[in-house]
Amino acid sequence: MQLNKTLSELAHYLHAELKGDGACIISGIAPLHSAKNGDIAFLDNPRYRKYLSTTEASAVIVSSAFSEKCVSNALIVEDPYYAYAKVAELFDRAPKPKSGIHPTALIAPDAQIASSASIGPYAVIESGVVIGSGAVIGAHCAIGENVHIGENTRLWSHVTVYYDVTIGNRVNIHSGVVIGADGFGIANHKGKWLKVPQLGSVLIADDVDIGANTTIDRGAITNTIIGEGVKLDNQIQIGHNVEIGAHTAIAGCVGIAGSTKIGKYCLIGGGSCIAGHLEIADKVVITGMSGISSSLTESGMYSSGVNVQLTSLWRRNVARFHQLDDMAKRILILEKLVKNTEINE
Amino acid sequence: MQLNKTLSELAHYLHAELKGDGACIISGIAPLHSAKNGDIAFLDNPRYRKYLSTTEASAVIVSSAFSEKCVSNALIVEDPYYAYAKVAELFDRAPKPKSGIHPTALIAPDAQIASSASIGPYAVIESGVVIGSGAVIGAHCAIGENVHIGENTRLWSHVTVYYDVTIGNRVNIHSGVVIGADGFGIANHKGKWLKVPQLGSVLIADDVDIGANTTIDRGAITNTIIGEGVKLDNQIQIGHNVEIGAHTAIAGCVGIAGSTKIGKYCLIGGGSCIAGHLEIADKVVITGMSGISSSLTESGMYSSGVNVQLTSLWRRNVARFHQLDDMAKRILILEKLVKNTEINE
Amino acid sequence: MQLNKTLSELAHYLHAELKGDGACIISGIAPLHSAKNGDIAFLDNPRYRKYLSTTEASAVIVSSAFSEKCVSNALIVEDPYYAYAKVAELFDRAPKPKSGIHPTALIAPDAQIASSASIGPYAVIESGVVIGSGAVIGAHCAIGENVHIGENTRLWSHVTVYYDVTIGNRVNIHSGVVIGADGFGIANHKGKWLKVPQLGSVLIADDVDIGANTTIDRGAITNTIIGEGVKLDNQIQIGHNVEIGAHTAIAGCVGIAGSTKIGKYCLIGGGSCIAGHLEIADKVVITGMSGISSSLTESGMYSSGVNVQLTSLWRRNVARFHQLDDMAKRILILEKLVKNTEINE
């Protein structure tokens, strides 16, 4: 986490308006409340604006609305979080493996590996695989037959990709991800289950991110499809033949059952579950821990999560929940009785 | 996905009634709405029956109830989804590794590996392991001491099986699965937790399927038991000493806490959580995202999932939920008052 | 599971009061209801006390309150579950790998591995790693640049630790765990997502347990922190910059979103989800499948899980839930009307 740039250089890099000392040296990056001399910080979430007047940061990335309140130098931008992300790229220490194939990697003779790609130790790459230029395949990855992996795509260690899967360019896949395992297709016959072979595959478009231990199943007949620029957090489960529209972002622990189609530019909160065979429109926002059991045909924000109460109170309320239909009917009766009473009077 | 069979051959294979041209060549398989000439399709879910009159498929697998509406050749069967599954087996392209031990696999000297088994690259097989005929152990699998794996069982790559686990015949285990890790046993002593050694193991019966990244913990004293023909989807968590009855199917992201016993022929919907020390009867159906915190002693269908609403409406409703007991009491008071009023009149 | 100790020896080991035959030989351990001659059992959960009068165990670990009802020899202790855990340690058969580096492990030249540590087959250990005495790194583990792993810490097979992570002493990490993958930081810019580099890391204190396939993300600027003695079950997702206080225990399938701080000595039930940027006080207990979307500033027990009903009843009740605000308003109107009626009379 070491840098050595002047604030002027950073202002130029961000196309930001500079307020204060452009010759000031920025060597670190830190949260607003704990930043020290030499650090750059940023303000995006207004709940932290109180720290603008006390921060020890050498400079703060801030919107014009808050720049007046900032005691330090400032870089004034339209979108401070985006600008922060651009500066954070300068501080990124994530190791970048060198090009070349580690001697312990097992590569099928007919696999096509770009010379600028990096294949890590103990990776296993099966027949017919194509790996694009600048791609990184981490240690212990298992890449099945006929998988295509695009340019500058990175698989961290311990990623499993089953046969026939296609992955685009600049895709980032974290450890423990499994792509292309069988969808959950089972046919009941006289009480026993017959596994239904999963004949489709998975298509992952460009610029997708996939978090650790997320699973994306292969399609039953046609493909499971993850659209361009989709961002998936950790431990998400995506069933067979799901389609996710471009630029949708999904937080951790979400489950999406088979054949559901999710639109573009959606935001899906953590812990939510979406039933199968539904259609979710573009620009739908779903708050955390919601259940979705019917299609959502209009954009908008939807919820069904319930916040906790003290258990002693909750128990009484939840008991009433199980009587809710009865309560509703009793209200109706009361309304009739009271109405009659009024009429009588 | 290439085949070359006449429709008569497929009718014979399925014991189906043939309607139309038995000499028609079937070379592909596709969904009803996108099938082309040469493809076979099927109709199971009635919501897709509208496509029967427009499909370009060369043949459709269909029940007698819908065969009249089908514009193409038809294979008439009692259970179209089951028949489809049988046909899909003919199209299955999943790679089948050859028998033999990959030179990079590490096999303990006393492990017993059937000669027809296949052990993939970088697999690690510890002392005392027994692997049956026709079994496939994928790349990077780690098989602990004294594990027994039955005949024709397949572990895809990156499966971890801890010591002493027993797995039956024809079991199919997807990547990222962990079987036999310690159950969550902790004893509190003066505010600190002491780990309780998990002395049991895991028994998995024949014909079980286990989806990617599912975890099945070893028992505390006795064993965790997965019954014959059980089908588990991805990212399921099964706690120590759980027992799952034969032919039960569980969808993705379900969590089952320790010592719970689930009956036979149950269906458990995705995202549901089942508390510990419960008994679930045979033939219980639980819909998606339900919570189960008491035993279910009768077969039947149970739910507690709540579908989303627009957040603006939801917030008002959920606020009232937290007052539900109060509302119920106020209804009771109203009923008394109204009754008294009536009497007074 | 073989032992050969007299009951007197066990009484001495546990500082227990012995009731009965101290010369009795204990060779096995079993649940109270299925224990046989030679076995020791224990009673902790009072629901099993009925077995005290019928158990065939040679001895039972029991509190003084129940010792009278026990037909067998007894070891009387204050905390039977804790005492059981201590006895279970004597029966623990978990394999303990020998010290030394497996010839297939790949160790960066500058990594510092204690001579008493054990590094398993196909482990990959990058530059700058430090591994303490007595530590065990299982087969196929991938340990990134500059990771520090403390003394007597155990990673089972298939654990992934990203660069710069620090792990304390006596930590136990099960297979499939991923520590230090990128937090879910994305900045929206004109409809597209820019990945925000995650510059922090993960600190795991001493005596932490981490269950199979759990994921702990690295911090955005500062670190994600798991406190001393924290116990995490399987398939838990911990977002970037989360802090978990010492001695908190979290059951399976819990998701904790970014920047949330959880206190010490908390208990969090399985399947619960906690939103981001919250503060949870010390000694908070959250029951299973709860949603937490606001800070909990007081210790206490909290819930929002809803138990199942028969689906036929549930559907009626849940439909009313979506009308709850309307119902509440109608009650208020009724109350006014009835009050007016009373006044009129």
Side-chain angles (χ1 to χ4, degrees), chain B residues 104 122 140 160 162 164 193 199 213 215 217 221 236-237 291 293-294 301 303-305 307 317 320 330, chain C residues 84 93 95 122 140 156 158 174-175 213 234-235 247 265 306-309 311 314 322 324-325 328 335 345:
Chain B
T104 62
Y122 299 129
H140 303 110
T160 305
Y162 281 57
D164 292 348
W193 296 105
L199 307 175
N213 283 357
T215 51
D217 281 348
I221 310 187
I236 292 168
Q237 152 63 6
S293 54
S294 59
M301 187 183 286
S303 304
S304 73
N307 193 16
N317 289 324
R320 301 300 187 179
R330 286 158 61 196
Chain C
Y84 159 71
R93 293 161 306 154
Y122 299 128
H140 302 110
W156 293 78
H158 281 117
H174 280 284
S175 295
N213 284 358
N234 296 2
Q235 297 201 38
H247 310 299
Y265 304 105
V306 179
N307 193 16
V308 289
Q309 272 191 309
T311 303
W314 176 255
H322 285 149
L324 208 49
D325 187 51
E335 285 170 337
E345 291 169 55

Side-chain angles (χ1 to χ4, degrees), chain A residues 76-134:
Chain A
I76 302 169
V77 296
E78 207 174 309
D79 185 344
Y81 191 52
Y82 176 74
Y84 159 71
K86 298 297 292 179
V87 172
E89 289 177 358
L90 304 175
F91 287 90
D92 193 7
R93 294 161 305 153
K96 303 275 189 300
K98 290 180 194 157
S99 298
I101 297 174
H102 193 277
T104 61
L106 296 173
I107 317 277
D110 67 346
Q112 298 172 47
I113 317 283
S115 61
S116 59
S118 170
I119 312 293
Y122 298 129
V124 175
I125 297 189
E126 303 283 358
S127 176
V129 170
V130 177
I131 295 182
S133 61

Side-chain angles (χ1 to χ4, degrees), chain A residues 29-113:
Chain A
I29 191 164
L32 199 55
H33 67 279
S34 63
K36 298 294 176 199
N37 188 37
D39 291 339
I40 191 164
F42 77 105
L43 176 74
D44 180 53
N45 190 331
R47 77 161 75 174
Y48 298 117
R49 69 184 149 191
K50 62 185 174 188
Y51 297 119
L52 279 179
S53 57
T54 57
T55 185
E56 296 178 29
S58 288
V60 178
I61 301 168
V62 73
S63 66
S64 57
F66 290 108
S67 64
E68 287 303 312
K69 299 193 175 84
C70 182
V71 294
S72 71
N73 301 314
L75 295 181
I76 302 169
V77 296
E78 207 174 309
D79 185 344
Y81 191 52
Y82 176 74
Y84 159 71
K86 298 297 292 179
V87 172
E89 289 177 358
L90 304 175
F91 287 90
D92 193 7
R93 294 161 305 153
K96 303 275 189 300
K98 290 180 194 157
S99 298
I101 297 174
H102 193 277
T104 61
L106 296 173
I107 317 277
D110 67 346
Q112 298 172 47
I113 317 283

Side-chain angles (χ1 to χ4, degrees), chain B residues 19 35 40 48 90 96 103 115 140 146 173 187 192 195 200 256 260-261 286 291 307:
Chain B
K19 195 189 95 177
I40 192 165
Y48 298 117
L90 304 176
K96 303 275 188 300
S115 60
H140 303 110
N146 304 317
I173 305 180
K192 296 189 178 180
K195 176 180 173 50
I256 305 175
T260 281
K261 291 183 186 10
I286 294 171
N307 193 16

Side-chain angles (χ1 to χ4, degrees), chain A residues 84 93 95 122 140 156 158 174-175 213 234-235 247 306-309 311 314 322 324-325 335 342 345, chain C residues 104 122 140 160 162 164 193 199 213 215 217 236-237 291 293-294 301 303-305 307 317 320 330 341:
Chain A
Y84 159 71
R93 294 161 305 153
Y122 298 129
H140 302 110
W156 293 78
H158 281 119
H174 280 284
S175 296
N213 283 358
N234 296 2
Q235 297 201 38
H247 310 298
V306 180
N307 193 16
V308 288
Q309 271 191 308
T311 303
W314 176 256
H322 285 149
L324 208 48
D325 187 51
E335 286 170 336
E342 288 180 282
E345 291 168 54
Chain C
T104 62
Y122 299 128
H140 302 110
T160 305
Y162 280 58
D164 293 348
W193 296 105
L199 307 175
N213 284 358
T215 52
D217 280 349
I236 291 168
Q237 152 63 5
S293 54
S294 59
M301 186 183 286
S303 304
S304 72
N307 193 16
N317 289 324
R320 301 300 187 179
R330 286 158 62 195
T341 308

